[in-house]
Amino acid sequence: MAVTAVFMLWLRDLVAVIMLSGIYSLFAAMIYVVMDAVDVAFTEAAVGAGVATVLMLGTLALTRQGTEKVHKTISWGPLSLVLVTGAVLIYGTLDMPRYGDPNAPVHSHVAPRYIERSASEVGPPNIVTSVLASYRGYDTLGETAVVFTAAIGVLVILGRRNRRQRKKAKREDAT
Amino acid sequence: MMHQKSVLRVVSKLLIPPILLFALYVQFHGDFGPGGGFQAGVIFAAGFILYALIFGVASARRVIPAAATRALLSLGVLLYAGTGVASMLMGAEFLNYSVLAATPLAGQHLGILLVELGVGMTVTGAMVTIFYTFAAQPGGDELPRNKQNNPDEGAKT
Amino acid sequence: MSDVFPGLLNYWIAIVLMMVGFYIVIAQGNLIKKIVGLNIFQVAVFVFYISMGKVKGGTAPILGEGIDVYSNPLPHFLILTAIVVGVATTSLALALIVRINTSFGTIEEDEILELEHADDAKEETS
């Protein structure tokens, strides 16, 4: 997965970069399955490898730029910034709970209640669904609204000019 | 052009009905196995986008007009919020589904089904709307053709 | 050290991926590549969250008979919605890029800045 990401950094051909980002998403989906998050893997595979790739290719076709401009030099400023940030973050992980530790703080607060009582309080055997739709209904409502707003935003940015052009074309046809 | 795409046409004709059926299965079986509104919406939209890529955006627009996807987009949010308001009218808190049916468990089940349906509708509507908007751009109406052109451009440079 | 190395590897992978994405975002000039970099960053955060939710010996959080240990469903729910929201916002960014391309005719950051400066200079002289 990391190898795919680094290749995406080096490649100049944008089509190849976008294809690699699809592959990267599939790898991520596999990792989610290994970590027991089947719902998430499902979404990632459908979204990352499917819809996002098509949209990016669409943008590429619209902007008609096959390859990126070549910058020969490695930019040292950003690189050192990235290295420092990475080092600080890795230092920060030294105190984190170990992978798969059942006593980690994440697992001690709300999650046990969801796992123990969702069957009697909500019903569906898939806990993720009952958390998503019932316990955290407000969150999901908000997220649905965000998706809605994003679609409206795309329409506002790209849609209107197009309608005017269509009207113009109609008028030209009529005359 | 036509001959090159005949394999794609046949395979996608075979694939699209199972994709749509699978999306519906994911939508309504989300309580029992992995799945739910978000995934189903994306899979459903992916089915349509595949159709539009292979058979052209114009014929996809005949299957679902752009106005319909916009209506779907807003109806989904309305259904979600409406479920919340309905539970409020029946005497519970906003989005507390327990009062929607005779027993709390049945009510929860009904509420989750409605809410997931709302999410699925919104996500499908949003994805297809976004795709249509991109495809309707000047010069973007033939996405598959441009994709085939790109390797040639790469070879030239 | 044996305690630290395999136990924290998941965080380190997430951090390395995150930094690759970060580098692409700040160092590359092409706007589409910047969006790809943001996506890498995003997926790194997702991996970080999901790896926190994993419980050793646990199974996927779908109730079944004879299973006692489940992974934490909360991060799964959070990331599930975040992915779909992520693709929606990504498409918004791509729409902005298309719009920028129609206005400036390029999607390279430095060329856009040059054009902007040229415009400013023109306004000052006129």
Side-chain angles (χ1 to χ4, degrees), chain A residues 42 58 60 65 69 73-74 81 84 87 97 109 140 150 163 168:
Chain A
F42 212 148
L60 201 59
Q65 295 216 347
K69 251 176 64 179
T73 52
I74 299 171
L81 179 65
V84 169
H109 187 43
T140 316
R163 198 179 304 153
K168 212 191 258 174

Side-chain angles (χ1 to χ4, degrees), chain B residues 86-88 90-93 96-104 107-108:
Chain B
S87 64
M88 215 158 81
M90 293 173 82
E93 300 92 343
N96 182 354
Y97 319 123
S98 300
V99 290
L100 287 178
T103 62
Q108 289 282 351

Side-chain angles (χ1 to χ4, degrees), chain B residues 126-144:
Chain B
M127 295 302 154
V128 180
T129 306
I130 290 170
F131 176 74
Y132 276 173
T133 320
F134 271 88
Q137 289 301 296
D141 49 352
E142 283 275 327
L143 287 177

